[in-house]
């Protein structure tokens, strides 16, 4: 069915090509308003046929209306010789089409295609409505542990700046997020809670995916051993898989679900670690790589030597536990094949004078050797 939008198209054509219109401005204004009311009545009274469903009918007309709105916005933005007199009917048409769009959105929401593009006017009005309140919530986010990058992602989503040409599904997400902030962000809010909420709303924008993965990797760097690293990844996978899904429509319907993308990325990291572990086992079993290296020092002497190496900056890792874990896993001494964490830590933090002397003698021998080759 055609809404006979040709009347609007004719006005657009005349204005865009600088041609004269037959009627005066006041008459054109009245005719435009009459057309808008007529279109709304036709929408409300439409009876579906065997050819198309009511949803198909609604969205066919919605697409046509949005296309005309975009065309008018382009003329207003880019036509250099557009006069105020000729711009006025275009703005009247644009306001009227916006009224039709919101009429469809309000009264035929179930049939409304959320993938439809937003007009610039809708975006502008939305941003004006939320601006003052958003600035208030930004100050609250700064008091919490919400870092600047995540805050920027939230602000861009609220202002519909994240996904190229914004669609109604992005507007719906922005409204949802805005209401959430108004209800929940009245004091401090945890980042973990906010991240889980965004996943439950299917916020599958690539920038959020990258941020979340960086957040996971940052936590993994705090793990002191490979086993802890592996366990943390498994925990993250379990946590993400258990987040309940609250949204019907994803933020970007053209991309995979955010929880699926995150789990796939974690699985890839787990597989990589398994392959490294397998390769390491193969090298050890084949004798290509020794499981441990034996030194001629005692455990406490070795511990003090490593302490000195860390202190002078030869080993740059500053977390003592990570250094201890590595040494006791790869080095054996004349005393034992398996160094205990406790004995190594005692020698590292509380060396005795005898061990300090022996290590000092070894260092003196090294210095003499180096000076002889200098």
């Amino acid at each position: 069915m055609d809404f006979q939008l040709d009347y609007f198209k004719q006005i657009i054509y005349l204005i865009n090509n600088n041609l004269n219109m037959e009627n005066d401005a006041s008459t054109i204004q009245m005719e435009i308003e009459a057309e808008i009311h007529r279109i709304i009545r036709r929408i409300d009274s439409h009876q579906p046929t065997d050819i198309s469903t009511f949803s198909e009918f609604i969205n066919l007309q919605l697409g046509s209306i949005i296309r005309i709105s975009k065309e008018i916005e382009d003329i207003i933005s880019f036509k250099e010789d557009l006069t105020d007199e000729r711009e006025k009917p275009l703005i009247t048409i644009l306001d009227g089409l916006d009224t039709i769009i919101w009429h469809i959105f309000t009264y035929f929401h179930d049939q409304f295609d959320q993938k439809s593009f937003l007009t610039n006017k809708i975006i502008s009005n939305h941003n004006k409505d939320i601006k003052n309140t958003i600035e208030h919530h930004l100050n609250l986010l700064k008091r919490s542990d919400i870092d600047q990058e995540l805050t920027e992602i939230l602000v861009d989503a609220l202002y519909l700046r994240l996904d190229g040409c914004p669609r109604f599904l992005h507007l719906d997400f922005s409204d949802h997020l805005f209401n959430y902030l108004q209800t929940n962000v009245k004091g401090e809010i945890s980042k973990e809670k906010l991240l889980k909420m965004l996943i439950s709303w299917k916020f599958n924008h690539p920038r959020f995916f990258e941020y979340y993965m960086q957040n996971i990797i940052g936590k993994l760097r705090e793990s002191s051993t490979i086993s802890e690293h592996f366990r943390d990844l498994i925990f993250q996978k379990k946590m993400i898989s258990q987040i309940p899904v609250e949204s019907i429509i994803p933020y970007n319907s053209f991309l995979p679900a955010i929880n699926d993308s995150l789990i796939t990325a974690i699985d890839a990291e787990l597989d990589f670690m398994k392959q490294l572990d397998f390769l390491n086992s193969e090298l050890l079993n084949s004798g290509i790589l020794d499981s441990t290296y034996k030194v001629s020092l005692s455990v406490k002497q070795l511990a003090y030597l490593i302490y000195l190496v860390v202190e002078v900056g030869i080993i740059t890792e500053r977390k003592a536990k990570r250094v201890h874990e590595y040494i006791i896993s790869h080095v054996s001494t004349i005393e034992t094949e398996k160094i205990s964490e406790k004995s190594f830590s005692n020698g590292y933090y509380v060396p005795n004078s005898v061990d300090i002397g022996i290590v000092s003698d070894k260092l003196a021998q090294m210095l003499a050797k180096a000076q002889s080759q200098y």
Side-chain angles (χ1 to χ4, degrees):
M1 178 180 177
D2 185 8
F3 282 149
Q4 298 178 4
L5 297 176
D6 288 344
Y7 176 74
F8 297 142
K9 294 178 182 178
Q10 181 182 8
I11 294 178
I12 294 169
Y13 175 80
L14 292 173
I15 292 175
N16 198 31
N17 291 277
N18 298 323
L19 300 175
N20 294 326
M21 291 179 282
E22 295 181 0
N23 298 323
D24 56 34
S26 60
T27 302
I28 293 174
Q29 181 89 4
M30 292 174 59
E31 289 176 347
I32 292 173
E33 293 174 357
E35 279 293 299
I36 297 300
H37 291 302
R38 182 183 66 81
I39 291 172
I40 291 176
R41 288 196 302 271
R42 295 285 294 276
I43 292 173
D44 293 341
S45 61
H46 175 74
Q47 295 295 325
T49 66
D50 294 335
I51 299 176
S52 65
T53 65
F54 190 64
S55 293
E56 291 172 338
F57 161 78
I58 286 292
N59 290 299
L60 176 64
Q61 310 313 322
L62 178 63
S64 299
I65 293 168
I66 291 176
R67 281 193 296 273
I68 292 180
S69 296
K70 291 287 188 182
E71 184 179 352
I72 295 173
E73 289 174 344
D74 287 343
I75 294 173
I76 293 175
S77 298
F78 302 113
K79 186 171 174 56
E80 296 180 356
D81 58 349
L82 184 65
T83 64
D84 291 342
E85 182 181 0
R86 287 178 171 270
E87 183 179 1
K88 185 176 180 180
L90 292 179
I91 293 177
T92 302
I93 295 174
L94 204 56
D95 290 341
L97 294 176
D98 188 62
T99 299
I100 298 173
I101 292 171
W102 284 113
H103 181 87
I104 297 174
F105 184 85
T106 302
Y107 295 101
F108 305 99
H109 192 76
D110 291 342
Q111 291 78 28
F112 195 96
D113 185 2
Q114 294 284 342
K115 298 178 186 177
S116 299
F117 291 113
L118 295 171
T119 64
N120 292 338
K121 179 178 175 61
I122 292 175
I123 296 172
S124 177
N125 289 341
H126 168 77
N127 290 344
K128 288 178 183 177
D129 290 341
I130 68 172
K131 180 175 174 50
N132 292 334
T133 307
I134 291 305
E135 296 302 322
H136 169 69
H137 286 303
L138 283 180
N139 293 328
L140 295 177
L141 289 175
K142 290 177 182 177
R143 300 177 193 171
S144 304
D145 63 341
I146 311 302
D147 54 77
Q148 183 177 353
E149 186 176 0
L150 180 56
T151 301
E152 289 176 357
I153 293 173
L154 294 176
V155 171
D156 284 345
L158 287 164
Y159 284 125
L160 307 171
R161 295 194 296 241
L162 271 180
D163 204 49
C165 190
R167 302 168 186 264
F168 274 90
L169 56 88
H170 302 138
L171 177 65
D172 185 60
F173 181 90
S174 178
D175 289 338
H176 201 169
L177 178 57
F178 179 75
N179 292 333
Y180 177 86
L181 292 176
Q182 281 193 306
T183 303
N184 296 278
V185 185
K186 296 178 180 178
E188 293 188 359
I189 182 173
S190 71
K191 183 170 72 173
E192 294 302 321
K193 181 178 180 181
L194 198 55
L195 292 175
K196 289 180 181 179
M197 179 271 295
L198 292 171
I199 292 175
S200 73
W201 291 353
K202 297 186 177 182
F203 186 47
N204 60 336
H205 192 278
R207 187 176 170 191
F208 177 65
F209 168 79
E210 292 171 4
Y211 172 84
Y212 198 96
M213 286 307 302
Q214 290 173 359
N215 193 58
I216 290 177
I217 293 171
K219 288 183 178 180
L220 294 179
R221 292 196 183 113
E222 300 174 1
S223 303
S224 59
T225 64
I226 295 296
S227 60
E228 286 184 18
H229 192 128
F230 202 87
R231 183 170 61 250
D232 289 342
L233 281 174
I234 294 174
F235 174 78
Q236 285 289 338
K237 180 179 178 180
K238 175 177 179 292
M239 185 270 293
I240 292 171
S241 64
Q242 292 179 334
I243 295 177
V245 176
E246 296 184 15
S247 176
I248 299 175
I249 302 174
Y251 180 83
N252 189 330
S253 57
F254 302 102
L255 293 175
I258 181 64
N259 52 346
D260 291 341
S261 296
L262 291 172
I263 289 174
T264 299
I266 291 174
D267 282 338
E269 182 74 13
L270 289 169
D271 288 341
F272 177 69
M273 293 177 62
K274 290 176 183 177
Q275 291 171 16
L276 286 180
D277 183 63
F278 174 77
L279 177 61
N280 186 54
S281 298
E282 287 293 302
L283 292 174
L284 291 174
N285 293 333
S286 64
I288 297 176
L289 180 66
D290 292 335
S291 59
T292 59
Y293 295 92
K294 181 168 287 189
V295 298
S296 60
L297 300 172
S298 69
V299 172
K300 292 184 177 181
Q301 292 161 8
L302 172 64
Y304 182 65
L305 176 62
I306 296 301
Y307 167 80
L308 294 175
V309 171
V310 171
E311 285 299 303
V312 300
I314 296 175
I315 293 178
T316 58
E317 172 60 58
R318 300 303 300 176
K319 291 189 69 173
K321 186 176 181 180
R322 291 178 68 95
V323 177
H324 296 184
E325 290 278 356
Y326 182 84
I327 295 299
I328 65 178
S329 299
H330 295 83
V331 181
S332 61
T333 72
I334 56 175
E335 295 177 328
T336 178
E337 292 292 326
K338 181 66 175 177
I339 302 175
S340 72
E341 167 66 22
K342 183 177 180 180
S343 61
F344 189 89
S345 295
N346 288 338
Y348 190 92
Y349 293 112
V350 192
N352 60 49
S353 58
V354 175
D355 292 328
I356 292 175
I358 293 174
V359 172
S360 298
D361 289 341
K362 290 292 184 183
L363 293 174
Q365 293 174 27
M366 293 170 62
L367 177 61
K369 181 70 174 178
Q371 289 175 337
S372 68
Q373 296 177 334
Y374 184 69

